[in-house]
Amino acid sequence: LDSNLSKSIMNSIRRLADQGKTLLIVLHQPSSQIFQMIDQLSLLVHGHLAFFGSRTNAQEFFSSMDRHCPTRYN
């Protein structure tokens, strides 16, 4: 999918979530704009759970393990 179509699909998914629907989606390397649309995040590494929680807590979680995300990177 190109970035415009990806964003359009995520806008539709976001509207469903805002209506109280529970949705499970799999994203590989989402853009920063799409990443900002996510509420809860499950990150896997080699099939193992690395993080589960709110998107806003992910950066703090990884920083606490000395795994910092550079500014303006996704």
Side-chain angles (χ1 to χ4, degrees):
L1 301 174
D2 66 26
S3 61
N4 287 330
L5 185 54
S6 296
K7 190 169 181 205
S8 175
I9 290 170
M10 279 301 296
N11 283 331
S12 297
I13 290 170
R14 181 75 253 172
R15 280 192 296 275
L16 290 170
D18 290 342
Q19 294 172 9
K21 307 257 190 284
T22 299
L23 302 150
L24 175 67
I25 59 173
V26 176
L27 299 173
H28 298 275
Q29 298 179 331
S31 69
S32 295
Q33 287 180 323
I34 289 177
F35 186 74
Q36 294 298 318
M37 300 171 95
I38 298 169
D39 293 327
Q40 293 291 314
L41 189 60
S42 177
L43 297 175
L44 303 176
V45 176
H46 300 292
H48 298 280
L49 185 64
F51 174 80
F52 181 79
S54 72
R55 171 190 44 84
T56 56
N57 291 338
Q59 188 169 357
E60 180 181 323
F61 173 78
F62 287 106
S63 290
S64 74
M65 295 184 298
D66 213 21
R67 301 289 186 191
H68 304 281
C69 180
T71 305
R72 298 169 60 171
Y73 275 73
N74 47 330

